[in-house]
Amino acid sequence: MMKLHRKGVLALASGVLFALAGSAFAQDPAYPAYPHKTVTLITSSGPGGGGDVFLRNLVKTLGPKWGINFVVENVPGSGGANAMRRIVEGPADGSLLYGVSTQHVVVTVLSDPPYKYTDMQPIVNVLYDSPIFFVRTESPFKTLQDVVKYAKDNPGKLKFGAGTAASIDRMVVETFKARTGLDMVVATHDSGGQLTLNVLSGAVDIGSGDAQEVQSQVEAGKIRILAAVMDKRIGNYPDVPTAKEQGVDVTATGWRGLVAKKGTPPEIAQAWEKAIQLVLEDPEYKAFYTKNNGIPAYLPAKDFDALTNKFAADMDKFFTEMGLKKKAN
């Protein structure tokens, strides 16, 4: 389960062709044959967002090794529904894939869009994310209990920033709200970059996001991570306790992988499975995801499919219990 503020129509034109021409690089013979020399990878996040950063850094290493030109195309909007449309209306031949987090599943469960995660097939999972709660360094909140106390003493005053209803960080905030019974404002943001800016400006008091998205601001001393939301502490921040350790029973793990249009040949998934296993061991890519709190989590198509379906069932139950989704008659 880590975006600059921009108009969707501009972001649609922000696909970037990485200069990784096969003719300029000798493909590593360990990498499998692939039927396309140019592959477009879609992300529903804006430039600088978690999905965007994930894909661009993945192909920075993978492109030269595999001898493939990778184009990363930003297709934001509607909680990922626009990106799903782009995939489902595209070819099922391995030339077009979608870099997904949990969002494409959540938006399906919550809003019943025209195109759903079930219209796509998992190809391979790559990483697990590290969900967090974070504040600006000037914030008076030093612990999660400080947040809880303030919200109890000032009903309706706490502004808790999160992503769209289809994001895992929004799910985490709704769980936090339900478990604590607090009266607070949940402020929706279209991107992690927008949320970070609002936390920095004080427009919101605390944010729910991914450690990768705020990494640079933490390094610059502008953001402080208040709690890890995983079931264990984050490797790069061993001194930051989990939410559960701070008395709030909220846990979540995000994931990042690749899916394609249903009907894509199994040979495509098999090629990606081999390539991802290799790139996860590449020193350059390993340095990136280790620094940015990514957890290597290779899952082949079959296991990724099982993870996706279980997550969908869990989210359906969660949203029903939270009153965010009508129970079936």
Side-chain angles (χ1 to χ4, degrees):
M1 300 241 123
M2 322 163 225
K3 310 183 185 188
L4 300 174
H5 185 48
R6 69 284 171 267
K7 297 292 184 181
V9 67
L10 293 178
L12 282 170
S14 67
V16 175
L17 176 62
F18 284 80
L20 304 174
S23 60
F25 295 94
Q27 179 183 337
D28 187 325
Y31 281 75
Y34 202 71
H36 306 284
K37 286 301 180 183
T38 297
V39 175
T40 299
L41 302 180
I42 302 297
T43 174
S44 62
S45 70
D52 181 73
V53 172
F54 161 62
L55 289 180
R56 293 183 192 279
N57 280 278
L58 174 64
V59 301
K60 181 181 177 181
T61 301
L62 187 59
K65 296 286 186 179
W66 209 353
I68 293 176
N69 302 317
F70 284 105
V71 179
V72 176
E73 182 180 334
N74 301 85
V75 185
S78 302
N82 291 344
M84 288 195 283
R85 177 184 295 274
R86 175 82 167 84
I87 293 296
V88 177
E89 293 183 351
D93 61 1
S95 65
L96 181 69
L97 287 85
Y98 182 14
V100 296
S101 61
T102 55
Q103 179 172 282
H104 78 303
V105 178
V106 176
V107 72
T108 296
V109 173
L110 189 61
S111 62
D112 191 32
Y115 296 112
K116 303 172 175 59
Y117 84 89
T118 49
D119 294 315
M120 296 172 282
Q121 65 188 56
I123 298 297
V124 64
N125 190 64
V126 184
L127 299 171
Y128 286 145
D129 279 338
S130 304
I132 58 167
F133 293 144
F134 64 99
V135 296
R136 58 179 179 163
T137 54
E138 300 87 353
S139 170
F141 303 141
K142 306 299 183 184
T143 69
L144 206 53
Q145 283 304 319
D146 291 341
V147 176
V148 173
K149 184 178 186 306
Y150 173 83
K152 286 182 177 179
D153 293 344
N154 301 274
K157 294 291 183 67
L158 179 72
K159 297 182 180 68
F160 210 135
T164 63
S167 64
I168 192 168
D169 49 283
R170 178 60 176 270
M171 179 202 77
V172 166
V173 173
E174 294 294 345
T175 304
F176 175 89
K177 184 177 180 180
R179 297 275 166 81
T180 59
L182 296 175
D183 177 9
M184 63 187 199
V185 177
V186 180
T188 298
H189 295 75
D190 291 331
S191 72
Q194 182 189 41
L195 170 59
T196 300
L197 289 174
N198 281 343
V199 170
L200 288 170
S201 70
V204 295
D205 302 303
I206 179 172
S208 172
D210 189 276
Q212 176 181 319
E213 293 175 339
V214 300
Q215 178 75 23
S216 62
Q217 299 295 340
V218 172
E219 292 175 350
K222 296 181 179 180
I223 288 290
R224 181 171 65 253
I225 299 177
L226 211 58
V229 187
M230 297 180 68
D231 57 0
K232 60 183 178 181
R233 298 190 182 194
I234 300 171
N236 290 348
Y237 304 107
D239 296 331
V240 177
T242 66
K244 196 166 185 177
E245 286 176 317
Q246 298 183 64
V248 181
D249 189 10
V250 179
T251 59
T253 300
W255 35 262
R256 296 197 181 275
L258 294 163
V259 302
K261 181 178 180 178
K262 182 164 283 189
T264 297
E267 292 78 15
I268 296 298
Q270 291 163 9
W272 274 97
E273 288 168 357
K274 184 173 183 179
I276 290 301
Q277 290 181 80
L278 290 169
V279 79
L280 282 172
E281 293 301 319
D282 186 279
E284 179 185 4
Y285 188 54
K286 183 179 286 189
F288 159 73
Y289 67 70
T290 299
K291 177 183 178 182
N292 289 277
N293 307 292
I295 302 169
Y298 163 73
L299 291 176
K302 181 179 178 181
D303 294 340
F304 191 19
D305 187 44
L307 173 70
T308 301
N309 290 327
K310 183 181 185 305
F311 181 77
D314 290 344
M315 288 302 94
D316 185 76
K317 180 181 179 182
F318 168 79
F319 286 123
T320 300
E321 290 177 350
M322 292 296 106
L324 299 173
K325 182 177 184 292
K326 292 183 179 179
K327 295 182 179 180
N329 294 326

